[in-house]
Amino acid sequence: MEKQRPSRGNGKNMDLWRGMEELTTPAAPHGQENEPAGAGGPLSEPLDRRSALKLMGASIALAGMTACGRLPQESLVPYVNRPEEVIPGRPLWFATTLDSDGYGCGVLAKSNTGRPTFLEGNPDHPASLGAMDPRLQGQVLGLYDPDRSQSVLAGGEVAPWESFTDLIRQIRPVWEARHGRGLALLTPSVSSPTLAAQIADLQKRYAEARWYSYDPIDRSAAAAGAQQVFGRPLDTHYDFSSARVILSLDSDLFAEEPGHLRYARQLAHGRRVTGGSAQDMTRLYVVESTTTITGANADHRQAVRASAVEAAARGLAARLGLSVAPGSSTVPSSWLDAVASDLRRHPGKCAVAAGYSQPPAVHALAQLINYQLGAFGTTVRHTEPINAQGAGGLSDLVAAMEAGEVAVLVMLDCNPVYDAPANLDFDRHLDRVGLRVHLGLYADETAARSHWHLPMAHALESWGDARAFDGTASLVQPLIAPLYNGSTPTELVSVLAGGGKGARGRDLVRAQWQGAHGAGSFDARWRESLAAGVVSGSAAPLVRPHPRTSAAQHLSAPAASAGGLELQLRPDPWLWDGRYANNGWLQELPRPLSKLSWGNAALIGPATAKSLGLKSGDLVALTLGDRALSAPVWVQPGEPRDTVTLNLGYGRRRAGAVGNGIGVDAYRLRTTQSHWQATGLALKREGAGPAPISTQLHDTMEGRDFVRATTVAQIRSGAQVVPPQKPTPSIYPVREVEGPAWGMVIDLSTCIGCMACVAACQNENNTPVVGPADVARSRAMHWIRVDRYYQGSPDAPRTLFQPVPCMQCEQAPCEYVCPVGATVHSQDGLNDMVYNRCIGTRFCSQNCPYKVRRFNWRDYRQAGFPPSPEVENPNVTVRGRGVMEKCTYCLQRIREAQIRAGRERRSLAEGEVQTACQRACPTRAIQFGDLHAKDSAVARAKQHPLNYVLLPELGTLPRTSYLARVTDPNPEIGT
Amino acid sequence: MADRLLVVAALPSADALARAFEAAWRAGHQRLEALSPYPVAGLPGEPLHRGFGRALLVAVLVAGAAFIVQYYAAVWAYPMNVSGKPVDAWAPLTPAAGVLGLMGAGIWALVAMLRDAGLPRLHHPVFDARRVDFGDDRCYVLAIEVKESELPQLRPWLEGLGAEEIQEVRP
Amino acid sequence: MSAAPGGAGARVAAVALSAPRPWPWTLAALASVVLLCAYVSSVLVLFRNGIGIFGNNIPVGWGFPIINVAWWIDVGHGALLIAAGAALAGDCWPAVSRLSESVALFAGAVGGSFAILHTGRPQYAYFLFTYPNPLDQWPQWRSPLMWDFFAIIAFLVLALIVWLVGMLPDLAVLRDRAAGHGRQIFYGILALGWRGSHRQWAAWTRARRLLAGISVPLMVTSTGVSALDFAGGISAGYHSTMTPVDAVPAAIASAAGLVLAAIVILRRTFALHDLIPVDELETLGRVLLGSALAVGFFALYEGYMTWYGANAFDRYRQSQTLTGAFAPWYWTWIALMVALPLLLAWQRFRRSPWLLGVLGMLVNIGAWLYHYLVIVTTQERGFMTSSWSGFVPTTWDWLLLSGSVGVFLSLLFLQVRLLPVLGVYALRAAAAPGRSHG
C-alpha cells in the first residue's frame, strides 16, 4: 500500500501560503507575472504566527475530540406510529433518508438509547415502500466504522476545524475580487435540493467558479438518449403496476436502477400466484450482457455481449415498425419476433427499459419503442432531470487542471483519485492544483492527495434532504450527534459561500424548505415531513414529451461489433463504486449470482472458459491498450460468450482495515472512451492463484427437488407440481403445541434473490463477520442464506433462488442428539438454542439435513472483523466462542410483541410480528405468522396447492415451507 | 494366643504342596494355608461359577437405578419438548442404563475378590519366613498354625511329607 | 532370591527392574515422548484459541478429533474383548493377556481425551454429568452422545479393573524381587499384600473369569453405542442399522493388529523369544484373520442392503463411495483391513512375527481411514447440495493425531519400564512340571 501524502512537512504552511498566490492567479509554469506586488511579504508574516497557533490548537482540539454517542441538540421528530417518549429498553424509530446510488431512499432508523442500531425501509417513501437492499442496510454499520476519518487533516497533520475556516476567510476576499476564478467544485450529481441551491448561490456569488460533477456509476447515457429523442435531457422511470410485458435491455431493474426496490415490488404483484387459479403473469424478457438477478428472474433471457444489445434493440424497433437501420443481432430473430408480437399485444401495458451501461442509441431506441407502444404516461414516465449536475464532467475538470485554470479544488464526498478513469491520469494532474480540499467519510486515496481533508458527517449524523428517483423529496435527520465532529457538504459549501461561520445543517435545510413551502404554517409541515419521512406532494411533475419526428433516422449508424474479447465493467452489487469497501457486512455478503465473497474476479462464461482453457481460480493478465491488470478467473454460468466482466469497487488502497487490498482495482482498465465496456481485450493465463472465495460450491440440485418449478400453462393443464407430502410414519404420536404456532412460507415465484433478507438478518441478529479466511473454510455465519441453483446448459442456464432460514422442524433432528439439551423446543413450536448450555459438540449441525446451523469456530468478537458494539441489537445475545447458533425466527421480536400485547391485555394481531428478513424483502416473498390463527396469511399460504417443504421424506415436519416457483414463458419461444 | 506358632514348610513341587495340604487337613489341622506362585490344582477353592449370579443381580440393580434416575429426570424433573418426542419415550433411556449396569457388576467383582482374598493386607506373619518369596518361581509353602506343644511331633511329620525346610514364625 | 536366574519371575521382573535398556528402546521411548510433548502443546494452543484451529466447518462439523475418538476407543474395545477371550480360554497367553489389557486401558484413555477436546467449550464438559445445580438442569438422555459418554466411562472403569486385577500377582513378584527400599514399598502397596494363598488364588481366578464374562457384553454394547453416535444421525452414510454391528469385528481387527505389533516389538527388543512362543502370535494372527473376514462380510452386506434399500440419498452416497469422489478412501480401507489380512490364511505368514507386526500397523491405518470415510466424507456431500463443501485438515489436526499416538506409546513404555509386561503366573504354570490350572 503506497503512502502518498503530500510531501509537506512542517513547511506546509509556508507552502500553503505560497499557494495563496496561486489561488489568486492561474499558476503559470514559471509565472510570477500579474502577481499583486509585494503580496507575499506582508501576507505571509502574520500568517506564520497564526499557523503556529493553529498547530497548538490542533492538539487541544484533538484532546477534546472524543467519540461517544451524544443526543443531538435539535429536537428530532419520531416516526408518527412510534412512541414519542424515550423509555430505556424501548427503541425509538425515526424516519430519515439515505443515499441509494445517487438518489434518496427513505428508511426508518431504530434508535436504542440514542444509538442507531437497525434500518428498515420507510413504507411511505416511493423508492422503498418499506423494503431494503444490502447497500442501504450496511450504512448503519458504516456509521460506527472506526476507520472513518475522525479529524481535519492539514497536509496529513491533525488540525482543528477553525484552521480551515480561517483559511477560507483569508481566501474569500480574493475570490470576491476575482469572481471566484480558479475555484472549482467537484461533486457527485446532487440529489439534495438544499445543496443544489447552495451551489447555485455559490456560482451566483462567484461567477467564475466552476462546478464539475462525476459519478463513477454514471447514468449520463440515459440523458443523452433522451436528448437525441426529445431534444432535451429527461429522466425516465417506470410504473410496472399495470405492466403485462416488460423488456429489459441490459437494465438491472431490480438491483441497480434508481427505484429498483419499487420496481421489484410492482413486478412481484404481477407474478404472485394467489390461490390455486393461475392468472396471467407479468412477463419479463431480458437481454443482458452479464448475470444479474433481473435476468435470473426473467421468463426469457438472452445473454449477449454489451455491444450486441443495440443490434437487438434495433431489430426489435424494426419489427415494431420503426424505421431504423437494423444491426446484425446475435439474438435469434424468432425470439425477437415473439417479443415484438407480445409487446404489440399489450399496447400501453408494456415497457422497454434500457440499462445505464448501454450507449445513448439504445436508450433512444427504448424511448421510441415505448412511444410506439403507447407506454408513455402509463408504464413509462418522464420528469425533468431530478439530480443537479455540474456544468462539466471530470474530463473537463482535468482539462482545466492541465490548463492550470484550477487553483482551488474542493472535492465533496467523492474519491476521484481512486475511481477516475485511468486515462485521465487525474492523480498526476492534481499536482497542478494549488489548494486541494477533500470532504469525505474516510481519509481515502483522494484525501491522501489533498492539502486539506475534512471529515464528513455520516447520513445518520447529519441534516439534509434528498430527492428520490421520481423527484419525491425527503428530509435527512440525524439520530446521533456526529461521532467524529464531521461536517456535511451543505455546511461546507456555506462556509465557502461566506455564510456565517458554523451555519448549522438544520438551519440550512429549514431555510431551503421555508423558501419552498412559504412561511405560512411551515413548522407544521416541517414536523409532518420529518415524521412521515417524505415531503408530501414533492414528486416531480410528469412531462409528456413527444419524440422529434424522424428521431429514429438521426440515430447514429450501428457500430460494427468488433470481434475478440470484450471487457465489461460493472459496479459491485454491494460495494457499488467502492464507497462501501470498508464495510464488513457487505464485503462478506455473497454476491447474488456468483456467491463470491471478499473479492471480485474476472467473470467468464463456461464456453469462453473452455475456449480459453481457463478454470476458476486461474490468474489471468487482462490487457486493454497499454493498461494491464491481473485478476483471478471465476467461471460464471450465464455469462455471454467472449466477454470478461469485472466488478468495480475493489482493490482499494486507503479504504480502511477491512477493505484495503481486497480484490483487484478494475478502474485501472477504465477509460473515458470505454466507460462500461471495451473490445479488444487481451487475456493471458499467468498460472493458478488463490481461488476466489465463494459460499456455494455446488451449483446444481443433483436431481433433488429443493426448488420446485412450474409454469402457468402447466398449472392450467392440471399438472401436479407438488405431490401430496404425507409425513413419514413415526412410532410416536405427533406432539401438539398450544398457543401460537409460528410458521413461515417463502414464495419462490416472487423471490428475486436480492439478498436483502440476509443483510437485514445480519443487522438484526448481531451475526458476526468471520473474514475471508474463514469464509473460504465454509464458516460464514449468515443465519439465512439464499441458495442459487442452475438448471440446463451452463451457458444459458435457468437460475433458481431459494432462501433457506432455519426450518424450525416440529420433529427437529438437531434436538434429540444434543447431550446437554442446549437446543430444545419452545411451547410455540420454535426450535430454540440455549447458548449458555451449549458445549459445542456440533452434533446438532451434523444432524441438520438443511445445514442451517452456524458455529462460532473462533471468538469473532476478538478475532477477525469485530463490529462496533454500538451497532449490536441489545435484544439479541452476543454469542461466544464454541457455541452453536442459528435462525430464531427473530424470537426477540416475537417476545417483544407478546409482552406489549400482554401489557395491553389483548391477543397478538395478524402481522404484528414481522421477522427482519420479511420486513426487508422488496417483493414480500416471505410470509410469517401464527399457523393456529386460521385467518392469518401464512396459514392460508400453507393451504396453497403449491406449498411444499424441503426433504419431507425425513419426517422433520418443517415449519418453514415454500411455494413452488411459477413462471409464464411465452409459448411462441421454445424454452 | 501367645502359645500359638505358625509353622512354615517349604515343599519341592506343586504336587507335593497339594499332597501335604491334603494330609494336614486330614490330620485335623483347621488353620492352614498353601502358598503357591500360581493357582495349583488340587488345592481347595470355592467353585468358579459362584458369584456369577450375584454379579448379574448387581448389574440388574444398577441398571434399574440408572433407568429410574433418567426416567425421573426426563418425565418429572425436566420435561422438555425434544424433537417432539413424548417425554416418557423410554426406549432411548436403555443404552446408558445397560452399560452402567455392567460397570456396576465389574466394580462388584473387584470388591468381592478383595473381600474373599482378604486384601488389602499389606503385612502377614508368613512373610517373616525365609522361604516365603513370591519372587521365587518355586515357592511352594504350606503354613500351619499350631500350639507350641504340638510342634515336636509336627516337624518330623512334615519332613515325612517332603518338606525341604521348616521354620516357625510367631504371628 | 533363590530362584534360578533364568526363571520366568526373574526374566519378567528384570524387564521392569534391572534389564539394560537396548538403544532401540531408548530411541523409541524418546520419540514417543517428543510426540507426547506435541500433544500437550497442541492441547494448550487448542484451549487458548478454540477449535477454530482445526479444519472443521459447516457442513463438516466433525473432523480429526472425532475420528481419533472413534479410532482409539474402538481399538480399546477390541483389546478388552481379546483380553476377555484370553482369560476365558484358560489364561495361558501371558503376553496377549497383559498387553491387550494394557492396550484396552491406554487406547481407551487417549480416545476418551478427544471426546472432551473436540467440544467447542471443553470447560463446560461437566454439563454431561447429572449433578445437582441451581438451574435444575439435567442432561438430555436421548442423545447418542449421552449414551456414548456413559459407555466410555463404563468401559474405562472396567478396563482399569481388569488391568489391575490381572497384574496383582505379578506385582507381588516385583515386590519380592525389587532391590531398593523405595521400590519395595511402591510395589508392596500396589500388590496389596498378595501372598498367593490358595484362597487368594481361588478368589482371583474367579474374579478374572467374572470380569472376562462382564467384558464381553460390555465391549459389544459399548462399541455399538459408540457407533450409534453416527447410526443415530439421519445423514445418508451415518444412518444405518447395521453400523453398530459392523463396528465389533472392525474393533477386534484393529486391536489385534495393535497388540500384535506391540508384542512383536517387545519380544524383539527384550529378546523374550522363549517366553513369547510363536504359537501365541499365531493365535492372535487367527483372531486378526477372522475379524478381517467378518469386516469384509459386513462391507458386502452393507453394500447390498444400501442398494436393496433403494433410498436415493443412500444410493448416491454408495455410488460416491464405490466409484466416485470417496472411492480412494474406501478401497484403501478394503485393501488394508480386508484384503491384506487374508495373507494370514497361510500358516507361513501367520508364524512370521515381523509380517504380523507390519500387518498389525497397516490394519490400524485402514481402520483410521474407515472412520475418515464415515465421519468426514458423509458430511461433505449431505442432503442440501448447496451446502456441499470440502474438509482440509490443518497442522493442528495432524499434530494432535500424531500426539495421541505419542501419549499411547508413552503409556505403553511406562508399563514396560515399571510394571510386569507378561503374566508371570501363567509362565510359571506353563513352566512348572506336571498339571496346573484346575
Side-chain angles (χ1 to χ4, degrees):
Chain A
M1 195 182 86
E2 70 209 272
K3 287 237 179 300
Q4 45 168 213
R5 295 161 173 277
S7 59
R8 284 153 177 77
N10 297 341
K12 76 172 189 299
N13 300 299
M14 277 309 301
D15 185 73
L16 280 181
W17 298 119
R18 223 181 305 105
M20 264 300 279
E21 290 105 47
E22 293 165 9
L23 313 185
T24 63
T25 67
H30 41 72
Q32 293 307 318
E33 65 266 17
N34 67 26
E35 169 192 353
L43 255 178
S44 56
E45 182 44 35
L47 288 172
D48 270 350
R49 226 182 289 118
R50 180 183 286 105
S51 61
L53 293 171
K54 263 184 279 172
L55 285 176
M56 288 162 62
S59 49
I60 298 160
L62 188 65
M65 247 184 268
T66 53
C68 56
R70 297 151 295 168
L71 277 169
Q73 301 312 309
E74 300 91 354
S75 67
L76 311 180
V77 184
Y79 188 63
V80 280
N81 301 339
R82 308 286 180 174
E84 298 260 341
E85 70 287 358
V86 180
I87 298 175
R90 188 189 286 184
L92 291 178
W93 291 81
F94 297 97
T96 180
T97 309
L98 293 178
D99 172 78
S100 167
D101 326 335
Y103 293 84
C105 185
V107 297
L108 304 180
K110 183 184 188 182
S111 167
N112 278 296
T113 60
R115 289 182 293 113
T117 56
F118 186 70
L119 298 177
E120 266 179 16
N122 180 351
D124 301 343
H125 193 278
S128 162
L129 301 181
M132 286 295 274
D133 69 29
R135 292 191 299 270
L136 290 167
Q137 199 81 48
Q139 292 189 33
V140 68
L141 182 64
L143 167 66
Y144 299 107
D145 187 345
D147 293 338
R148 264 179 60 194
S149 158
Q150 307 197 2
S151 62
V152 176
L153 297 176
E157 313 283 331
V158 172
W161 264 102
E162 292 65 28
S163 58
F164 177 74
T165 44
D166 291 351
L167 166 63
I168 295 301
R169 192 169 341 104
Q170 293 300 322
I171 302 174
R172 213 180 291 118
V174 187
W175 285 341
E176 304 281 1
R178 304 180 170 277
H179 310 298
R181 184 141 53 88
L183 170 61
L185 199 60
L186 178 63
T187 72
S189 44
V190 173
S191 68
S192 155
T194 307
L195 183 57
Q198 276 184 298
I199 295 178
D201 292 348
L202 189 72
Q203 283 178 301
K204 270 200 218 72
R205 190 175 176 131
Y206 310 129
E208 298 283 319
R210 292 275 169 272
W211 175 28
Y212 305 92
S213 55
Y214 169 64
D215 303 296
I217 313 303
D218 79 310
R219 303 192 161 90
S220 53
Q227 182 78 38
Q228 287 185 17
V229 178
F230 307 119
R232 61 193 169 130
L234 288 177
D235 277 7
T236 309
H237 65 272
Y238 310 96
D239 176 8
F240 295 138
S241 51
S242 63
R244 309 304 302 160
V245 181
I246 301 168
L247 168 64
S248 152
L249 296 171
D250 211 3
S251 167
D252 193 352
L253 287 166
F254 304 148
E256 293 181 355
E257 291 299 326
H260 56 275
L261 294 172
R262 182 187 192 87
Y263 297 159
R265 171 75 56 84
Q266 290 174 333
L267 188 85
H269 279 311
R271 293 180 73 83
R272 185 168 283 113
V273 180
T274 50
S277 69
Q279 71 282 26
D280 278 341
M281 285 185 159
T282 304
R283 190 172 283 148
L284 177 62
Y285 300 90
V286 173
V287 179
E288 64 180 0
S289 60
T290 182
T291 46
T292 70
I293 61 172
T294 308
N297 287 281
D299 295 290
H300 297 285
R301 171 178 186 267
Q302 285 288 334
V304 300
R305 54 199 309 183
S307 61
V309 173
E310 178 175 348
R314 286 175 177 275
L316 195 70
R319 283 170 174 74
L320 289 167
L322 288 161
S323 53
V324 296
S328 63
S329 167
T330 51
V331 179
S333 70
S334 64
W335 197 87
L336 288 176
D337 295 336
V339 177
S341 58
D342 206 359
L343 286 169
R344 222 183 280 103
R345 248 181 276 119
H346 298 85
K349 291 189 167 316
C350 57
V352 177
Y356 57 80
S357 60
Q358 284 299 317
V362 176
H363 290 268
L365 285 162
Q367 299 281 12
L368 291 167
I369 295 172
N370 284 324
Y371 183 74
Q372 185 82 356
L373 295 166
F376 280 18
T378 61
T379 55
V380 180
R381 312 194 162 179
H382 298 89
T383 63
E384 297 297 333
I386 301 298
N387 283 352
Q389 303 265 1
L394 196 62
S395 327
D396 309 314
L397 172 60
V398 169
M401 293 196 294
E402 200 159 16
E405 295 160 7
V406 181
V408 181
L409 175 59
V410 180
M411 295 169 278
L412 298 180
D413 188 16
C414 57
N415 187 8
V417 172
Y418 165 72
D419 57 26
N423 66 324
L424 287 182
D425 215 350
F426 184 86
D427 190 10
R428 187 169 54 79
H429 289 107
L430 265 185
D431 293 335
R432 304 292 310 276
V433 178
L435 178 60
R436 309 187 284 272
V437 180
H438 172 255
L439 175 78
L441 276 176
Y442 294 86
D444 54 20
E445 293 85 348
T446 305
R449 297 279 288 114
S450 305
H451 300 113
W452 289 87
H453 164 71
L454 312 170
M456 190 170 84
H458 190 279
L460 291 167
E461 296 171 332
S462 31
W463 282 99
D465 50 8
R467 285 197 179 281
F469 69 102
D470 68 347
T472 306
S474 55
L475 299 176
V476 179
Q477 60 174 329
L479 276 81
I480 186 170
L483 297 170
Y484 303 135
N485 192 20
S487 170
T488 65
T490 50
E491 286 164 351
L492 185 65
V493 171
S494 77
V495 169
L496 297 179
K501 147 124 180 48
R504 312 272 290 285
R506 177 162 173 273
D507 308 336
L508 296 167
V509 179
R510 276 182 69 94
Q512 165 70 17
W513 287 99
Q514 220 138 14
H517 294 336
S521 76
F522 168 71
D523 279 334
R525 260 202 97 174
W526 172 258
R527 286 184 61 85
E528 180 248 317
S529 309
L530 280 176
V534 287
V535 180
S536 53
S538 58
L542 298 183
V543 297
R544 292 294 300 272
H546 293 280
R548 295 182 300 185
T549 50
S550 77
Q553 282 82 346
H554 292 96
L555 286 178
S556 53
S561 63
L565 276 180
E566 181 162 320
L567 173 71
Q568 304 181 144
L569 300 169
R570 297 289 182 267
D572 183 77
W574 310 146
L575 308 189
W576 202 236
D577 56 7
R579 73 184 64 177
Y580 302 129
N582 206 50
N583 189 311
W585 290 352
L586 295 180
Q587 282 279 9
E588 189 150 310
L589 189 67
R591 277 54 186 169
L593 271 301
S594 62
K595 296 294 169 192
L596 286 176
S597 167
W598 288 102
N600 58 347
L603 306 178
I604 60 174
T608 321
K610 184 176 291 146
S611 61
L612 296 174
L614 294 171
K615 59 181 192 319
S616 292
D618 288 352
L619 207 60
V620 292
L622 304 169
T623 319
L624 191 64
D626 56 350
R627 295 181 180 72
L629 177 70
S630 84
V633 163
W634 186 256
V635 177
Q636 173 63 38
E639 286 289 322
R641 276 181 157 283
D642 301 331
T643 59
V644 177
T645 306
L646 262 178
N647 282 347
L648 300 162
Y650 289 90
R652 292 287 306 272
R653 300 180 299 281
R654 289 174 168 278
V658 176
N660 283 344
I662 301 288
V664 298
D665 178 5
Y667 284 107
R668 282 164 50 192
L669 292 180
R670 199 182 203 191
T671 63
T672 40
Q673 303 81 24
S674 63
H675 206 60
W676 291 113
Q677 43 263 336
T679 48
L681 175 75
L683 182 148
K684 189 171 141 299
R685 188 174 183 283
E686 283 182 328
I693 300 166
S694 171
T695 58
Q696 184 174 346
L697 306 177
H698 197 79
D699 288 339
T700 65
M701 288 190 277
E702 294 292 328
R704 305 174 186 182
D705 58 355
F706 303 134
V707 180
R708 308 201 177 181
T710 182
T711 65
V712 172
Q714 279 174 329
I715 295 178
R716 287 218 186 89
S717 73
Q720 192 179 41
V721 191
V722 180
Q725 299 177 325
K726 53 181 188 328
T728 49
S730 163
I731 62 170
Y732 296 131
V734 172
R735 186 165 173 151
E736 291 304 329
V737 300
E738 59 271 17
W742 302 106
M744 183 178 278
V745 177
I746 301 176
D747 181 358
L748 298 181
S749 304
T750 49
C751 170
I752 56 173
C754 66
M755 303 292 288
C757 48
V758 184
C761 176
Q762 180 154 37
N763 185 349
E764 169 75 12
N765 291 303
N766 303 338
T767 316
V769 173
V770 304
D774 272 12
V775 176
R777 271 206 182 278
S778 307
R779 291 173 175 180
M781 287 291 248
H782 303 118
W783 281 5
I784 181 174
R785 64 176 195 265
V786 179
D787 289 346
R788 182 262 303 119
Y789 298 109
Y790 291 126
Q791 278 181 343
S793 93
D795 290 302
R798 176 172 188 207
T799 311
L800 302 168
F801 292 111
Q802 179 170 49
V804 183
C806 176
M807 296 288 127
Q808 306 287 350
C809 313
E810 283 174 23
Q811 296 180 358
C814 50
E815 290 176 0
Y816 74 86
V817 295
C818 176
V820 291
T823 179
V824 289
H825 243 59
S826 74
Q827 263 321 303
D828 37 9
L830 292 182
N831 167 242
D832 293 345
M833 263 308 297
V834 189
Y835 303 126
N836 297 352
R837 187 69 178 165
C838 177
I839 62 171
T841 68
R842 310 186 295 292
F843 201 168
C844 51
S845 169
Q846 293 292 87
N847 219 38
C848 174
Y850 311 99
K851 286 290 173 276
V852 295
R853 292 183 155 261
R854 300 288 176 258
F855 189 71
N856 290 274
W857 298 103
R858 307 177 188 282
D859 183 353
Y860 291 115
R861 287 279 165 311
Q862 309 303 326
F865 298 81
S868 331
E870 295 89 343
V871 81
E872 281 168 348
N873 182 348
N875 293 346
V876 176
T877 313
V878 171
R879 284 79 59 186
R881 188 181 86 192
V883 171
M884 189 64 70
E885 62 183 64
K886 66 162 192 66
C887 158
T888 64
Y889 271 177
C890 286
L891 185 61
Q892 65 280 6
R893 293 183 173 213
I894 296 175
R895 294 292 176 254
E896 194 182 356
Q898 285 175 330
I899 291 167
R900 198 190 314 116
R903 225 181 14 248
E904 297 161 13
R905 293 195 168 54
R906 58 179 176 81
S907 58
L908 281 175
E910 158 76 357
E912 190 171 351
V913 184
Q914 291 196 323
T915 64
C917 50
Q918 176 187 18
R919 273 302 262 114
C921 180
T923 62
R924 292 277 176 264
I926 302 178
Q927 283 171 316
F928 174 81
D930 179 5
L931 301 177
H932 284 170
K934 286 301 164 224
D935 59 334
S936 68
V938 68
R940 264 184 274 108
K942 292 277 182 190
Q943 304 309 319
H944 197 290
L946 295 177
N947 180 62
Y948 73 97
V949 301
L950 286 179
L951 297 170
E953 56 271 57
L954 297 178
T956 55
L957 306 184
R959 280 282 179 85
T960 307
S961 65
Y962 297 88
L963 298 185
R965 174 174 170 81
V966 182
T967 51
D968 187 11
N970 184 341
E972 299 166 28
I973 302 176
T975 45
Chain B
M1 297 292 290
D3 60 345
R4 296 190 79 83
L5 277 176
L6 202 56
V7 179
V8 180
L11 291 134
S13 74
D15 296 344
L17 176 63
R19 275 196 305 276
F21 188 92
E22 187 73 25
W25 183 260
R26 291 245 172 70
H29 292 290
Q30 298 296 322
R31 307 175 60 80
L32 41 73
E33 194 171 52
L35 311 186
S36 57
Y38 55 88
V40 168
L43 288 176
E46 291 114 339
L48 287 176
H49 55 74
R50 188 169 152 268
F52 272 82
R54 270 183 246 170
L56 192 62
L57 183 66
V58 172
V60 172
L61 289 180
V62 174
F67 184 89
I68 287 167
V69 170
Q70 296 183 58
Y71 194 86
Y72 162 77
V75 177
W76 286 289
Y78 200 54
M80 297 299 291
N81 178 349
V82 171
S83 301
K85 299 184 194 297
V87 289
D88 58 352
W90 57 269
L93 309 183
T94 48
V99 288
L100 288 177
L102 289 168
M103 180 179 80
I107 294 173
W108 180 83
L110 173 67
V111 173
M113 185 208 84
L114 293 177
R115 186 200 56 208
D116 297 350
L119 293 177
R121 179 179 179 184
L122 290 187
H123 187 265
H124 188 279
V126 80
F127 286 143
D128 299 341
R130 195 168 65 263
R131 283 297 298 274
V132 173
D133 171 10
F134 206 73
D136 178 356
D137 291 354
R138 291 180 287 95
C139 148
Y140 307 103
V141 172
L142 180 65
I144 312 177
E145 190 180 305
V146 294
K147 295 204 192 62
E148 242 174 321
S149 55
E150 301 175 40
L151 192 55
Q153 66 267 32
L154 187 63
R155 258 181 177 284
W157 183 77
L158 282 170
E159 279 154 1
L161 288 170
E164 293 169 339
E165 181 181 341
I166 299 173
Q167 183 185 5
E168 305 88 26
V169 293
R170 296 211 162 274
Chain C
M1 297 289 170
S2 61
R11 296 282 305 286
V12 175
V15 173
L17 296 177
S18 53
R21 313 265 155 234
W23 66 266
W25 190 92
T26 321
L27 211 61
L30 277 178
S32 63
V33 168
V34 169
L35 287 178
L36 174 72
C37 297
Y39 178 88
V40 173
S41 49
S42 38
V43 165
L44 290 179
V45 172
L46 172 65
F47 285 165
R48 183 171 159 280
N49 299 356
I51 56 175
I53 65 174
F54 295 139
N56 305 31
N57 57 26
I58 306 290
V60 186
W62 286 347
F64 275 25
I66 288 286
I67 299 175
N68 300 344
V69 176
W71 183 51
W72 281 116
I73 290 279
D74 270 11
V75 171
H77 285 140
L80 189 65
L81 191 72
I82 292 172
L88 291 173
D91 217 345
C92 49
W93 293 315
V96 172
S97 295
R98 179 60 37 79
L99 279 163
S100 48
E101 285 159 16
S102 312
V103 166
L105 181 63
F106 300 160
V110 175
S113 77
F114 277 104
I116 303 299
L117 293 183
H118 101 97
T119 60
R121 304 203 297 173
Q123 69 269 35
Y124 294 119
Y126 66 87
F127 284 176
L128 290 161
F129 289 101
T130 57
Y131 65 103
N133 62 75
L135 299 176
D136 194 19
Q137 283 266 28
W138 291 83
Q140 205 283 99
W141 308 104
R142 293 180 176 83
S143 167
L145 279 185
M146 203 64 217
W147 310 339
D148 198 18
F149 172 70
F150 286 118
I152 291 178
I153 287 181
F155 161 72
L156 286 178
V157 168
L158 197 65
L160 181 66
I161 292 174
V162 168
W163 183 68
L164 285 174
V165 170
M167 277 197 308
L168 195 56
D170 300 347
L171 286 168
V173 174
L174 290 186
R175 174 195 64 200
D176 290 359
R177 296 198 75 94
H181 190 58
R183 286 181 161 218
Q184 283 169 344
I185 290 177
F186 173 67
Y187 293 116
I189 290 172
L190 286 184
L192 304 176
W194 178 269
R195 57 187 191 279
S197 78
H198 61 285
R199 272 193 206 78
Q200 289 181 335
W201 277 121
W204 181 83
T205 319
R206 197 165 59 242
R208 287 278 290 169
R209 303 211 167 182
L210 193 47
L211 286 170
I214 295 166
S215 302
V216 175
L218 181 95
M219 178 274 179
V220 175
T221 322
S222 185
T223 315
V225 167
S226 307
L228 277 173
D229 288 347
F230 310 106
I234 64 176
S235 319
Y238 280 9
H239 187 64
S240 156
T241 323
M242 285 300 288
T243 314
V245 188
D246 318 350
V248 174
I252 299 172
S254 44
L258 202 57
V259 173
L260 265 174
I263 295 179
V264 169
I265 294 168
L266 189 72
R267 183 165 178 272
R268 181 159 181 68
T269 322
F270 291 95
L272 301 171
H273 302 75
D274 53 339
L275 295 185
I276 309 177
V278 178
D279 311 15
E280 204 170 332
L281 300 180
E282 187 182 356
T283 323
L284 213 46
R286 284 208 177 83
V287 174
L288 179 49
L289 174 61
S291 47
L293 284 169
V295 171
F297 165 76
F298 279 119
L300 288 174
Y301 181 86
E302 197 71 75
Y304 168 74
M305 288 312 283
T306 310
W307 171 81
Y308 183 69
N311 174 309
F313 298 110
D314 289 343
R315 278 198 177 172
Y316 176 81
R317 161 84 189 158
Q318 186 175 32
S319 66
Q320 290 299 310
T321 312
L322 296 180
T323 58
F326 316 137
W329 285 283
Y330 181 78
W331 292 112
T332 323
W333 166 62
I334 291 289
L336 293 180
M337 209 159 178
V338 179
L340 274 182
L342 292 184
L343 286 177
L344 300 178
W346 288 272
Q347 192 180 41
R348 191 166 82 260
F349 298 119
R350 274 208 305 278
R351 297 188 69 83
S352 138
W354 71 266
L355 181 106
L356 286 169
V358 172
L359 209 55
M361 296 183 190
L362 290 181
V363 165
N364 275 280
I365 295 174
W368 195 92
L369 286 177
Y370 173 74
H371 289 299
Y372 183 94
L373 180 72
V374 170
I375 292 168
V376 169
T377 65
T378 298
Q379 294 299 326
E380 286 179 341
R381 299 279 184 94
F383 290 102
M384 298 293 283
T385 57
S386 61
S387 302
W388 285 4
S389 181
F391 169 78
V392 184
T394 63
T395 322
W396 298 108
D397 282 312
W398 290 113
L399 262 183
L400 212 50
L401 170 57
S402 45
S404 70
V405 176
V407 177
F408 174 79
L409 288 180
S410 308
L411 289 169
L412 215 49
F413 277 110
L414 275 180
Q415 162 108 25
V416 174
R417 182 73 183 77
L418 292 176
L419 302 172
V421 290
L422 300 179
V424 177
Y425 59 90
L427 290 169
R428 285 172 168 173
R435 304 161 298 108
S436 68
H437 282 286

